[in-house]
Amino acid sequence: MKNLRALPALLLGLSSLLVGCIGENEDVVFVEPRIEAPTVDVKVGVLGATLTGSFKLTLVLGPRASGPSTVQIGAVAITDAPNQQSLVSGLSLVSTTPFPVTVQPDSEVTIDFELDKIIPEGTVDTLCLPAGIRIAGTLQDSLQVGATSVASDVFNPTGCM
C-alpha cells in the first residue's frame, strides 16, 4: 500500500517530462518567419549615397501544419527602430533561392538575401540615428489568408559618421 501512495507523484513527474519533449515548432501551423543576421552599410560618394547589406530569412513550419506552404515574399524596407516608419523602401533584393519557396511541414528553410539601393543623401542622417534600424517586410503564406509581417531585431548600420 505504501508504494501506491507515491504513484500520483510519479505519474505527475513523468507527464512533465513528456510535455518537455514536445518540439519548439509543434504548434506552428502557419509559416513563422524570422529575419536574422541583418547588415546594412551606408556609403556617401560624389554621386550620392548607396546602401548595401544582407540578411537571412528563415521560414519554419511545424509538424501539425495541414500540408506544405508556398511562400511568396512581399515588400521589404528599412524601417525605424520601433518599426513604425519606412525609411528606405523599394529595396533591390537578390536571393540565393528563387521565389516562391515551398516549406514542408516539420521543416525550416533559410534564404540568404543581398540588398542594394541608391538613396538620397538626406536619408543617411535618418538611417544613422543612434536608435538603430530594422529590416522589415511581408510575406504571403499559402496556408493562411492575408500577409504575414516580419522584422529583424534593431541594429545599427556601418558607414555612419
Side-chain angles (χ1 to χ4, degrees), residues 61-118:
L61 189 58
R64 293 185 183 181
S66 61
S69 174
T70 302
V71 177
Q72 187 71 313
I73 192 144
V76 176
I78 295 179
T79 67
D80 59 0
N83 197 24
Q84 295 176 340
Q85 180 181 1
S86 177
L87 304 176
V88 179
S89 58
L91 297 174
S92 175
L93 298 176
V94 176
S95 71
T96 56
T97 305
F99 276 83
V101 172
T102 301
V103 184
Q104 297 295 329
D106 199 20
S107 72
E108 181 175 294
V109 175
T110 300
I111 303 114
D112 293 318
F113 283 91
E114 290 186 5
L115 58 95
D116 192 9
K117 175 86 174 173
I118 296 173

Side-chain angles (χ1 to χ4, degrees), residues 136-147:
T138 59
L139 57 89
Q140 183 62 50
D141 172 359
S142 66
L143 294 177
Q144 69 179 9
V145 176

